Amino acid sequence: MKPVPSLVCCVLAGITSIGGALPAFAQSASPVPRSAPEAAVSIAQAVEAAWLRAVEAREADAQAVRARADQVAASSLSAGPPALELSHLDDRLHSNAGRRETEVGIAWPLWLPGQRDARRATADAALRMADLQFDVMRLRLAGQVHEAAWKLAAAQAESQAYGTQRQYLQRIADDVQRRVGAGDLARSDALVARAELLEAESAEIEAAQRRAALRLQWRSLTGLEALPAMPSPAMPSADPPEGGTHPELRLAMQAVEHAQRKLDAVNVSRRDAPELSVKYRQEAPGLGERLQRGVGVGIRIPFGTDGRNAPLQAAAIGELDVADTNAQRLRDRLDADLQTARTAARDAARQLASTRERATLLRERAELVEISFKAGETPLPDLLRAANAATQADAALARQQAALGLAQARLQQASGRFP
């Protein structure tokens, strides 16, 4: 019968590095298709695969398309769509004196002074905001992928720990049964060993169910059958970038600029666009008289009133105030999130060190108890309790290893860095 440490060596390999409990780190930069479940994917590949399935990707594309359409409209020669005017008048149903009048014209909306530049600046700001929105949505999705990957890694390592415990208790039960047959142990010991084995099998099944549920969530998020290849978590050697570089803050600051450009556009658009019209007119005064022709030019200038301008200006000022306040509050929240994430990562690292030391001590104790049991100096229940404590410590170590990886992923998320 092998000692406890030799039986849990595969657990140690998995919990020394969570990545060791999963397939090796993939080197390919492209997402792994569904047809290759035996391969592993990196977090960057998983994020790319999830982005191809995400609704947020369609929203970002639609926003960029709208911004480009606004740019095209702001670059137009006219402030609005031109209009064709047609009219015809005759006296056929009245005196029928042969009088006819036909007029053809075109109306061309004109830009107000500075209006075109203001509209173009607003469209440019909207396009920059759409690009930043793309980064923000992708960063949020990367956070979801990180969360799912580390939770799945923890479930994988925990399931492996319980599987190792079941195998060990199976050997214990077989050995006890053999010794009962030889008359060295009482039948009650065989019953206890069998009961512990059944409990370990139940724990292994529950762990497998949790792993299966998390794997379904992973598949739903990324569309991948392949498991994530997680690197061994370690504390960063340098501080992450400051919160000012966070994509969400850049987006909020760009929203302020966009709101300011909209207010500028409202201020230079105090009235609807004036219209320049050019008309060609042909008139026949009556039967036998010569046709009269002429070309006319006209302009239509709408007046700007408070009934039109005040609501537009109030809405633009309100949007600017909301965007500015949101940027200030967001800066404070991101700084707090970054400090919280740094503290959580440091605490997780310290907790991992104590959890690893505790697991080592309990495994050593289990080894000594097993040696004592084999020598007939320790009863079977003591051996089973020691083995169970060592297994629980191994599972806790696996969970804490994943907790450190998740804490560092959240730190990366809070600093605005992509995987």
Side-chain angles (χ1 to χ4, degrees):
M1 184 166 49
K2 297 182 180 179
V4 174
S6 63
L7 294 175
V8 297
C9 60
C10 59
V11 179
L12 293 178
I15 58 183
T16 300
S17 169
I18 290 295
L22 301 176
F25 187 87
Q27 298 297 328
S28 174
S30 59
V32 177
R34 279 182 172 268
S35 58
E38 71 281 355
V41 291
S42 66
I43 290 296
Q45 290 174 310
V47 170
E48 182 63 28
W51 180 253
L52 295 177
R53 297 164 50 87
V55 177
E56 291 84 351
R58 311 287 85 77
E59 293 176 356
D61 290 342
Q63 187 173 350
V65 169
R66 287 195 300 269
R68 293 189 183 95
D70 290 340
Q71 279 187 323
V72 173
S75 301
S76 175
L77 295 177
S78 63
L84 179 65
E85 298 177 353
L86 298 173
S87 66
H88 178 74
L89 175 69
D90 63 36
D91 61 353
R92 186 175 303 173
L93 298 179
H94 300 283
S95 61
N96 199 21
R99 182 179 178 182
R100 299 186 305 278
E101 182 178 312
T102 302
E103 189 175 76
V104 180
I106 185 171
W108 191 274
L110 302 176
W111 291 105
L112 293 170
Q115 185 184 38
R116 186 178 182 182
D117 291 339
R119 292 275 183 88
R120 187 183 294 114
T122 303
D124 293 342
L127 184 58
R128 290 192 295 271
M129 193 165 68
D131 293 338
L132 290 173
Q133 183 70 25
F134 179 94
D135 293 339
V136 169
M137 290 181 175
R138 191 177 177 91
L139 181 63
R140 290 175 182 171
L141 184 64
Q144 297 177 21
V145 172
H146 264 129
E147 293 272 343
W150 280 113
K151 288 179 180 178
L152 180 56
Q156 287 281 107
E158 186 179 26
S159 179
Q160 182 180 358
Y162 284 120
T164 302
Q165 169 73 349
R166 178 193 55 78
Q167 294 173 7
Y168 173 68
L169 290 177
Q170 181 68 60
R171 295 186 184 93
I172 288 288
D174 293 343
D175 185 65
V176 169
Q177 186 64 42
R178 178 183 59 78
R179 294 175 66 178
V180 168
D184 295 338
L185 294 176
R187 178 165 173 74
S188 59
D189 288 333
L191 297 178
V192 171
R194 179 63 180 170
E196 289 292 327
L197 175 60
L198 293 175
E199 183 178 357
E201 290 177 349
S202 177
E204 182 183 14
I205 292 173
E206 290 179 2
Q209 290 175 345
R210 290 192 295 269
R211 180 188 60 187
L214 289 171
R215 186 161 185 176
L216 288 175
Q217 293 177 13
W218 171 262
R219 183 189 305 168
S220 175
L221 178 62
T222 65
L224 299 174
E225 294 285 351
L227 295 175
M230 308 305 296
S232 179
M235 289 300 294
S237 57
D239 289 337
E242 294 298 326
T245 62
H246 199 286
E248 287 192 36
L249 184 57
R250 292 201 301 268
L251 175 62
M253 296 171 64
Q254 184 60 40
V256 174
E257 181 185 351
H258 180 250
Q260 182 63 57
R261 299 287 81 78
K262 289 180 67 175
L263 179 59
D264 295 342
V266 169
N267 290 334
V268 299
S269 302
R270 293 288 183 173
R271 58 176 62 89
D272 290 335
E275 292 183 352
L276 176 66
S277 60
V278 179
K279 300 180 180 180
Y280 171 78
R281 183 175 182 181
Q282 178 178 285
E283 180 180 358
L287 294 175
E289 298 185 23
R290 296 182 58 184
L291 294 175
Q292 297 179 2
R293 299 178 176 85
V295 177
V297 178
I299 188 169
R300 175 178 175 271
I301 303 178
F303 290 106
T305 64
D306 289 341
R308 173 194 178 277
N309 296 328
L312 296 176
Q313 192 169 28
I317 293 175
E319 183 177 347
L320 176 59
D321 183 59
V322 169
D324 186 63
T325 303
N326 178 67
Q328 296 177 12
R329 298 297 176 268
L330 181 62
R331 180 180 286 106
D332 296 338
R333 181 179 67 81
L334 290 176
D335 289 342
D337 289 347
L338 186 58
Q339 293 301 324
T340 301
R342 284 173 175 167
T343 301
R346 287 194 296 266
D347 292 345
R350 287 196 295 266
Q351 190 173 356
L352 176 61
S354 7
T355 304
R356 180 181 289 114
E357 183 178 0
R358 178 176 179 271
T360 301
L361 295 175
L362 289 176
R363 284 194 297 271
E364 184 178 353
R365 174 178 177 268
E367 179 182 7
L368 295 175
V369 172
E370 183 179 6
I371 294 173
S372 177
F373 170 74
K374 292 169 63 176
E377 300 173 355
T378 301
L380 177 63
D382 289 348
L383 172 62
L384 296 177
R385 282 193 296 270
N388 182 66
T391 299
Q392 294 297 329
D394 287 338
L397 180 57
R399 289 191 296 268
Q400 188 56 39
Q401 189 86 359
L404 175 58
L406 182 56
Q408 297 209 350
R410 288 171 177 169
L411 176 59
Q412 180 177 350
Q413 185 83 8
S415 64
R417 291 180 294 165
F418 291 91

